[in-house]
Amino acid sequence: MLLTIDRLSIAYELADGRELEAIKDFSLTLERGRIAGIVGQSGAGKSTIGKAVLGLLGENARISGGRILLEGEDIAGFSERQFGAIRGKRVGYIYQNPMTALNPVLSIGEQLIETIETHTDKRGTAARSYAVELLTGAEVSHPEERLTKYPHQLSGGLCQRIVFAIAIAAQPDLIIADEPTTALDVTVQKAVLGTLKRLAAQENIAIVLITHDMGVVSQMCDEVYVLLRGQLVERGPTMQIITAPQERYTQELMAAIPSVEQRRARFDVLDAFEETPGRQRGIDYLRAGTVALAHGDTMLAISNLSKTFTGEKGGAGFKALDSVGFAVRRGETFGIVGESGSGKSTIGRAILGLVHPDPGAIIALDGHPIGQENRQALSRKLQCIFQDPYASLNPRMDAGTNITYGIRAAGLVPRKHAQRLAEDLLEVVGLPRAAATKMPHAFSGGERQRIGIARALAYRPGLIFCDEPTSALDVTVQAEILNLMKELQDSLGLTLVFVSHDLAVVRQMCDSVIVMRAGRIVEEGPAEQVLTEPADPYTRQLLSAMPRFLRSAAAS
Amino acid sequence: SAFAAGTANAETLRMAYGTAPVSADPYPYSDTQTGSLSEHVFEMLVGLDDTPLLATGWAWESDNAIVFNLREGVNFSSGAPFTARDVVYSMCRMMYRVDGRANVVTSALGPVTDVVAIDDHTVRFETTAPYPIITQKLKFLKILSAEAAGIAGDITFDRDGDCGIVDSYPSQADFDTGSAAIGTGPYIYESFQATGDANLLRNDNYWGELPEWDRVEIRSVPNNGARIAGLLAGDYDVVERPSAEDLQVIERDPNFAYSTVPGLQTIFIVLDTNADGAAGVTAADGSAPLADVRVRQALSMAIDRQAITERLFAGNATVANQFAPSYMPGAPKMPDLATDLDAAKALLAEAGYADGFELELNVPADRYTNGQLVAQAITQYWTRLGVKVILRTEPWSVFQTRRTEGQMGVFMYGWGHPQGAAQLISGAFAQRNDDLGLGAANYSSYDNPVFEDAMQAWAVEVDPARSNELVAQAMAQAVADLPGIPLYYNHELWAHRAGLQLVGGAEGRTVAMMVKSN
Amino acid sequence: MSAIKRLSGPSRIDPFLVPFRHYPAAIAGLVGICVFTLAAILAPLIAPQNPFDQGQLDIMNGLLPPMSEMMDGSVSLLGTDAVGRDILSAVLYGMRTSLLVAIVAVSIGMVVGVVLGLVAVMRGGWVDAVIMRAVDLTVSFPGVLLALMLLAVFGSGVDKVILALAIGIWAQNARMVRAVGLSEMKKDYIAAARIGGLGDLRIMFHFLLPNAISPVLVLMPMAISGAIVAEATLSFLGVGVPITEPSLGLLISNGNDYLLSGRWWISVVPGLVLVLMVLSINVVADRLRDHANPYLQARG
Amino acid sequence: MINFVLRRLGQSAILLVIMSLLVFVGMYVVSDPVAVMAGEDATAADRAALAAAYGLDQPLPVQYLTFLANIVQGDFGTSFVYGRPVLDLIFERLPATLEVVFLAMVLGLAFGIPMGIFSGLNRRKPATRLISMITTIGYSIPNFWQALLFILVFAVWLRVLPATGRGPTTDFLGLQLSLFNAEGLRYMLLPAANLAVALICMQTRLARSGTQEVMYQDYMMFARAKGIAPRRLIGRHLLRNILIPIVTITALELGTLIAFSTVTETVFSWPGIGKLLLDSIYRSDRPVVVAYMILITLMFVLINLAADIIYAVLDPRIRYS
Ligand SMILES: Nc1ncnc2c1ncn2[C@@H]1O[C@H](COP(=O)(O)OP(=O)(O)OP(=O)(O)O)[C@@H](O)[C@H]1O
Ligand SMILES: Nc1ncnc2c1ncn2[C@@H]1O[C@H](COP(=O)(O)OP(=O)(O)OP(=O)(O)O)[C@@H](O)[C@H]1O
Ligand SMILES: [Mg+2]
Ligand SMILES: [Mg+2]
């Protein structure tokens, strides 16, 4: 047995002295060449398990029980030095937050090549060409050039593929892949997963795959572990879990999976969130917001939007966006899908005024060019859910303050109610009230994402640019949140610009869609049409690459 | 040990100065250390102790002319013989103001109208009026070599120092690099650095008694503690001006010793006696307290000089009873000044200041040994007398500027020149008279006819006995009137390693010639 | 989310004291600061002598070792200095001056420096250029000359000393905050704040400041001791506080001359007080900073 | 980037003019060179002659304009006190200062950063407490006190190092340096250590606090997960991210030490330029002070410019246009 986790319990100590039991009595066994999936609710403790195997739990975490055996050796009590011999070499780790996982001040090349040079005998140009090879294997275009870039110059998906390349560089015995494809479009995702699968099959590598995408699970995993609030609720062979889930939570999970085949009014949910007075108050607050406006008028109009990033040392720039134009109607959900790195986030950053587009671009909100309005007024019309939720939270403010600071400043909520509102909104996005006083770094990936969502919603804006808002969420939570958004949309005319790789979600959510590739729009139209009768070859390719979770298969 | 290694080369003497000599050029700088350094290399006609040096004797030819006989057989370190021409040349150079700047005795030798080389070894100085203190002033005329400056033929003196040879005067840099530093003294420069560090080699052709040390290294270590530590660490053989405090360490350690000699400097407090009031002195009724002699006497009587010299100087200072060290040759004999707080209070009350008054006492922070401590002691005494004292200490440059601008009614000052007892009172208390060289630093507004007459007579008196009498008269008057308050006379101190014998002079110069091993 | 267990009972302690729980050293520091501050405030009541009243001093009491009897029969606990100042009293009074000078100068220097540094980051462009050139100018201007100028123009006084010191401090802080701020400014949370419609002031003080101020705080205790020593140096050179009203630093530098001869108490006593004072400030400041560091919050 | 540098240098030209004006006026209000230069018994005529010879009888603006005109011709003036060109005076002493500051900087960084990182990484080790104690005490002991203690211990008691002065020098690229001979180094050790103590303390504390923040960032976790050697993890990933405050302080201290390390230079009788400045201020030697300040300002401008460029190198997100 390569990896055996035996009744592992892990506790985090919180700032106020309380202790949070993140993992209780979790057990897992894994042989070489096999892939184990861990699925479960966001915040259930999946990443905590992964980190524990590598000895990367923070200072405030404590393994309160159980063993972790790697080839029979208990590594739970290893010292930092002993772990040093394991990390990278025997266990590779694909970090959950790709955009913060890369050192911002070191070039991609350096971060990749140092790993290669540490674990293989390749040096110098050999290491470099192996790096290029790895990047190519991870579907990164222009790999040579990317090596000289810094993380902030790359898209989320590129970062994720680089993290992937780094993790597999040494061909370790075990790979822990913590949501390795959340930021990838489906074609790339397919390739990356293919690589993983090949590694397992050919190199006899064992993989722990943490994910919430049941499609991925069904395609990849030999066995599945279902986790809820730190506890294992069910484990079994993939087919068995998918087709015949025994536990209630697993059943809910399966039921909540959105389908790309058909569009429904609502995502299926089975009350993932507890209905509490606080949550109700929060929802009331959101509903009480924007005055319902007529649906259908053009709200956001963009034309001729180009963005060229200046190259290093005066070299030729890189054209991230090339004459992009589209219009978003009030009250609709406007989807942006497409290749990773095709400029989706850059569109958002341009709308939000965070990057200056090339001259000639027109971005108009309600008929007025953006930039002439004052920031405060704009903030109530336009909000954003960042692709990297963590970096967008002020690390020195607790979650509650992060959420309500802006609206308090804008006078949307009196100071004395701010704390309560923050807690209410946390409940709205499915987090406990107590989370309000935790600092951003002490949250799981999905939890951070939800804090970002709560912050954006709190403004009760007219339009939200959602950059992969639910990529780190399991389907049950995702369904709750997307339903909430839809509901706000229906009742208030909330407009959403929705960037996602999950075509099923896009189909469920969006009214119209554009498909992007290499900075250009390759196809646009009503979501139904684009996703069912794609005209562009690239769109077709996307659709065919989708990992399908076949409910029909489950039925049969 | 490191100590043994340090002294292995017994022929090198390492000395630490308290202030960096400014230059190897002996003319423009009047500070003690520049003087000390150049004394190794250059000599004067008259020695600091009034004995003949390069002159073997002198006599007044008339009221306006004095003739010096020069020593024969003396050579400069360049090999050139020393002659009267060199004296004329040196006088020219002394009178010449480089960039308008007076040299050490340019002003003091202003009354000299002509300098004539009568023959190779006789030279005559002529003056506008009788100028008896010229021999005192010539103690500062270091003799340079005319030949070394490349001057051939006779030199005709003029009072601007132009002498027709201006272009041949060596620059300061020429001295500092050593090329112009040619004297008749017992040492020659090996090197001089702008930081004030110098190395000297013995001049084996010296005409006089050869000094013991082959080589002398002079370093400047301005910080007191560091200087003494350098001695203790074996970096130096002799350090000048150890603090009274540091002598304690020296006394305890058998490896070290110190030498002391009563010095020339008198420390005193100047009082502005102006009847219209003095800067920084305020009385409730708007009157001028310091104009009243009883107030001045009260201020003087309140001070316990004995306590100051014993407590703050550990005995290395002498209680002053007049404005010049009483132990100097020719100093008038004066009774001790009284110390009596009660009597002082009574005097003050008598003068109408029973409730005291307020004064600002100005003291330079970085000038006099223990100056700040003494200032605080004075403040204590006067506070007890009932006078409100604001003690103001500031750097010398600021002090000097404010003093020159007349912004100080009460200030501490020190004066020490090897020029006899009259120097201080003539400068600080006499009415200003540039022709007679009187009262250049009179900030006391002192104006007493008895004193004034005596000073004016003294200024032109050539008979030494009569001169001393006049000084005694003036001094007695000044001490009675107290336009200033004498405090104490500084002593000169040197600390050195044991095994050396050191006989210092009152002017406090630190020179290798005074150090012998025993 | 999983169950949260309470480890300790509901906290009933003053929120101000929360950071100090479980940190004996920091508590000691806090106590130290209180003691020193109290001692400084109460100096006139507890000091055996008023060292600023020159009439009470007598050089006949000079240089007494600790526990000596003075002329008037009283005992000097910690000895006296050369002019007969009781060291204990002098230290108590000196602390007042030193603390006042150091704390006020450092506070002014810190506030002005940090604010200008933040403004430079926020505004950029010519504002940044002007502020940073002003920094260049002030760091290159010698403090002694500045103090001398103030002395010559305005006369001596504690306020002038404070001003001279503060001018030296602001520049360093401004540069530090700007340097760190430049990096922070590019992070997404600032972008989020902008999108949130927050005004520049809020972004400056609630987003940039807490994330950029850490190095300034790290250097703060050093700045305090530095100011105390700088004040001593100025005083020693005659451009600081009057020598009749010595500060802690001036006492130390005066006492320096007596170290070699074994009269240690004159400089060691005030020196120790200075060290202890800075040590206290330091452990407390360190603890507060650690406490404010989100990554170290849990006691782990 | 080139634009950026040029613009900065342009701004600095204005700065130099302002600085010279400030110093000119400053020296004027502080003291009168004539009063300081003239001897005790100088007559009024002496003073007037002196003032005229140095142009000090002119109104201040005229003096200043003359000064500017001379500067343009490359003449920085002649010292009132030493009667020598001020640039000669300054450059004669500069090497002594530069080498001792250089050594102090090296000591500061070589000890400070590793100690700081160690403390940041090992929060609860006794060694960390010790470092914290020592660094706190290190900087709360006044510089002049420390200097004397160093002399007492190493020169007077142990007698292993000389107490004062500068040792023998060797010629290096035309500079007289004692850095390259053993005896000279012995003389440098105490003054350099005296300067370094504060630096070490500062760098330690900055490195410690930086480490405590950076160490818990996701990218550090991931870097650890990659299994790279601890040396690289710290030397590259950690260090690069904590260097900005360290560079800032190093730059400021570098300038300050070169320009103003008067206490150390005084106590150890180190013949550097800091003392020259202090002496010149106290002797009212305006030409030296003004020229000195112009050079120092220029130096600070360049050092800070270098620091700004280093920021951009350290953090690619910082870009100057
Ligand atoms: N600051 C920058 N400097 C240089 N290039 C940049 C910069 N920011 C983004 N890019 C490049 O612009 C392209 C578009 O990036 P963008 O983040 O918009 O992609 P995306 O569509 O959001 O991708 P993903 O789905 O992976 O997040 C990428 O190739 C990226 O490398
Ligand atoms: N450093 C920390 N301090 C305190 N609590 C933490 C810390 N890290 C994680 N937690 C908490 O532990 C729980 C498990 O976190 P973990 O990151 O393992 O969740 P996850 O299953 O990976 O969730 P997600 O799918 O959202 O990434 C969460 O409730 C989270 O808030
Ligand atoms: Mg996770
Ligand atoms: Mg993106």
Side-chain angles (χ1 to χ4, degrees), chain D residues 232-247:
Chain D
R232 192 172 169 85
L233 184 74
I234 288 162
R236 203 85 194 129
H237 288 255
L238 179 68
L239 198 58
R240 273 292 280 275
N241 280 288
I242 63 170
L243 271 183
I244 283 186
I246 291 178
V247 166

Side-chain angles (χ1 to χ4, degrees), chain A residues 11-15 20-23 38 40-51 57-61 96-97 178-179 210-212 227 230 431-432 435 438-450 472-474, chain C residues 1-2 298, chain D residues 221:
Chain A
Y12 287 110
E13 189 177 332
L14 303 180
L20 169 78
E21 270 215 292
I23 297 293
I38 303 184
Q41 209 179 21
S42 161
K46 305 181 292 294
S47 301
T48 303
I49 296 171
K51 287 180 188 166
L57 294 168
E59 271 200 36
N60 66 330
Q96 181 176 9
N97 309 312
D178 197 348
E179 319 228 2
I210 299 170
T211 181
H212 50 259
L227 209 59
L431 289 173
K438 271 173 70 168
M439 299 306 267
H441 76 101
F443 286 97
S444 79
E447 287 168 346
R448 291 172 188 181
Q449 208 160 39
R450 283 181 272 167
L473 300 179
D474 66 288
Chain C
M1 186 171 293
S2 315
Chain D
M221 296 259 212

Side-chain angles (χ1 to χ4, degrees), chain A residues 99-425:
Chain A
M99 298 176 89
T100 43
L102 295 172
N103 196 323
V105 301
L106 300 180
S107 72
I108 300 308
E110 182 171 345
Q111 300 191 51
L112 182 49
I113 289 170
E114 69 179 359
T115 321
I116 295 170
E117 292 194 338
T118 306
H119 297 301
T120 69
D121 45 17
K122 297 186 178 68
R123 296 286 177 279
T125 43
R128 197 171 186 86
S129 51
Y130 180 49
V132 170
E133 195 182 307
L134 281 172
L135 289 186
T136 316
E139 294 284 299
V140 175
S141 55
H142 319 294
E144 294 274 4
E145 197 189 311
R146 305 284 189 194
L147 287 179
T148 63
K149 298 273 189 219
Y150 290 91
H152 73 277
Q153 297 170 319
L154 298 181
S155 74
L158 279 166
C159 288
Q160 192 158 47
R161 279 172 276 168
I162 285 148
V163 167
F164 175 82
I166 288 173
I168 64 167
Q171 303 235 341
D173 301 337
L174 171 68
I175 293 174
I176 295 178
D178 197 348
E179 319 228 2
T181 58
T182 45
L184 302 181
D185 63 85
V186 283
T187 54
V188 176
Q189 170 174 349
K190 189 174 173 190
V192 166
L193 292 176
T195 308
L196 270 185
K197 194 143 194 161
R198 188 179 50 74
L199 286 173
Q202 293 176 5
E203 313 289 338
N204 215 16
I205 290 174
I207 295 169
V208 176
L209 184 63
I210 299 170
T211 181
H212 50 259
D213 189 329
M214 293 314 285
V216 171
V217 168
S218 66
Q219 280 184 5
M220 298 284 294
C221 300
D222 301 308
E223 207 180 4
V224 180
Y225 295 75
V226 183
L227 209 59
L228 179 65
R229 291 192 197 90
Q231 272 168 317
L232 186 63
V233 289
E234 188 167 0
R235 77 181 265 193
T238 307
M239 261 312 149
Q240 182 197 317
I241 296 285
I242 289 177
T243 52
Q246 301 297 307
E247 300 295 320
R248 186 178 128 84
Y249 174 69
T250 320
Q251 290 162 352
E252 283 175 17
L253 200 60
M254 296 306 149
I257 296 166
S259 159
V260 76
E261 259 66 58
Q262 62 223 86
R263 183 182 163 103
R264 301 187 205 164
R266 284 285 176 274
F267 294 90
D268 304 307
V269 294
L270 292 156
D271 304 324
F273 296 173
E274 227 175 308
E275 281 308 325
T276 61
R279 177 171 158 79
Q280 198 50 52
R281 251 198 327 267
I283 291 173
D284 290 345
Y285 165 85
L286 295 178
R287 281 191 185 129
T290 336
V291 196
L293 287 166
H295 286 222
D297 309 340
T298 299
M299 183 169 192
L300 176 71
I302 291 180
S303 64
N304 198 25
L305 176 63
S306 302
K307 172 67 197 174
T308 313
F309 287 105
T310 42
E312 306 283 282
K313 301 176 193 96
F318 172 77
K319 200 145 199 177
L321 287 178
D322 189 1
S323 311
V324 170
F326 57 85
V328 180
R329 279 170 293 117
R330 183 178 309 282
E332 80 167 333
T333 303
F334 186 88
I336 304 181
V337 299
E339 201 182 16
S340 161
S342 57
K344 304 182 292 295
S345 300
T346 307
I347 294 178
R349 298 186 90 81
I351 297 172
L352 295 160
L354 301 175
V355 301
H356 294 291
D358 296 348
I362 298 171
I363 303 171
L365 190 66
D366 286 332
H368 305 288
I370 283 184
Q372 290 173 6
E373 256 177 299
N374 82 32
R375 238 196 274 154
Q376 183 145 355
L378 195 61
S379 75
R380 302 178 55 176
K381 294 190 178 162
L382 190 57
Q383 272 304 317
C384 175
I385 299 167
F386 286 82
Q387 185 173 11
D388 179 3
Y390 183 42
S392 64
L393 296 177
N394 184 345
R396 307 241 167 206
M397 274 180 188
D398 62 27
T401 315
N402 257 305
I403 292 172
T404 50
Y405 187 90
I407 52 170
R408 214 175 68 200
L412 292 178
V413 58
R415 181 181 202 79
K416 60 175 193 268
H417 293 151
Q419 177 73 13
R420 195 183 72 182
L421 178 64
E423 289 170 357
D424 292 347
L425 291 175

Side-chain angles (χ1 to χ4, degrees), chain B residues 224-226 228-229 232 243 245-246 248-249 252 304 307-308 310-312 365-366 370 372-377 379-381 383-384 389 391-395 397-398, chain C residues 53-64 81-85 148 151-152 155-156 235-239 241-244 246 254 257-263:
Chain B
N224 276 333
I228 205 75
L232 298 178
S243 70
E245 195 53 34
D246 293 331
Q248 303 239 334
V249 195
R252 256 185 270 137
D304 185 347
I308 292 178
E310 262 161 29
R311 282 288 166 166
L312 303 182
D366 47 358
N370 286 346
Q372 303 213 35
L373 293 182
V374 174
Q376 290 179 75
T379 308
Q380 294 176 4
Y381 292 129
T383 307
R384 281 205 281 276
V389 183
L391 177 56
R392 178 162 178 178
T393 57
E394 54 204 356
S397 58
V398 180
Chain C
D53 178 359
Q54 302 302 306
Q56 285 191 29
L57 307 182
D58 192 337
I59 55 170
M60 295 312 284
N61 284 328
L63 300 177
L64 296 177
D81 71 1
V83 295
R85 241 181 244 114
L148 263 174
L151 177 88
S156 68
S235 300
F236 189 71
L237 293 170
V239 292
V241 300
I243 51 169
T244 46
N254 286 340
D257 299 342
Y258 300 86
L259 259 185
L260 272 175
S261 57
R263 300 199 219 265

